[in-house]
Amino acid sequence: MLDACAELVDEVGYEGLTTTLLAERAEVAIGSVYQFFPDKRAIVQALTLRNMEAYLQRLAGSWADGSFTDWWDGVDAAIDEYIAMHRSVPGFRTLHFGDVVDVHLLDEESDNNAVIAGRVAHVLVEQFGVAETARLRFALEIAVEAADALIKLAFRRHPDGDDTVLGEAKALIREYLHRHVDA
């Protein structure tokens, strides 16, 4: 059902998604949809959580090989994975990490991008020995918001992402974080 949801979100958007369409696409009875999900928001939340877990697993795989010499390499990999998921994961370009549905979809108290920033902060602290501070958390929240906005712009300009905008996004984030994390 989640795969069908991802396809439909790409085709009709979140607003056009209905449980009836989902049941038809997934080739299941509507009762089966409601057995697992009370409404379309819950379906999209499950898809978003699946995407977030896939993102974090992809990052863990790229970070685990130990080939990065600096924390920036880890941040660069995080941006590259986000871009790759926009290009290759059905539904991701439309939903991202759930902000289309609810900015608190991943956590009731923190907005979705703050959750992502927190996960990246955890890895930077654990794998790269970056000091865990309020300043790090704040800087990463700003960086995630800026990167998210610029990556969305790149994909509005070109279906595969405007490489010039994506390059500028990475440069902007690199400079910003160097100023705040290395200080």
Side-chain angles (χ1 to χ4, degrees), residues 109-130:
E109 296 182 21
S110 298
D111 65 59
N112 300 333
N113 281 345
V115 171
I116 298 302
R119 297 284 181 101
V120 173
H122 177 75
V123 172
L124 294 179
V125 169
E126 293 294 314
Q127 286 202 282
F128 299 101
V130 173

Side-chain angles (χ1 to χ4, degrees), residues 30-122:
I30 191 72
S32 295
V33 173
Y34 287 115
Q35 179 181 1
F36 296 101
F37 305 105
D39 53 28
K40 79 176 186 178
R41 183 183 185 281
I43 298 164
V44 170
Q45 183 176 30
L47 177 60
T48 298
L49 291 172
R50 183 177 81 169
N51 285 344
M52 183 170 149
E53 288 304 314
Y55 175 73
L56 294 172
Q57 287 177 351
R58 289 168 77 155
L59 285 182
S62 66
W63 288 340
D65 68 12
S67 64
F68 301 137
T69 58
D70 194 313
W71 64 265
W72 167 249
D73 295 327
V75 171
D76 198 34
I79 294 169
D80 288 342
E81 287 297 342
Y82 192 70
I83 293 167
M85 287 183 74
H86 268 76
R87 290 178 174 151
S88 65
V89 175
F92 190 79
R93 187 181 303 191
T94 303
L95 297 174
H96 311 282
F97 289 124
D99 54 323
V100 171
V101 180
D102 181 351
V103 295
H104 293 280
L105 189 63
L106 300 174
D107 184 289
E108 290 180 15
E109 296 182 21
S110 298
D111 65 59
N112 300 333
N113 281 345
V115 171
I116 298 302
R119 297 284 181 101
V120 173
H122 177 75

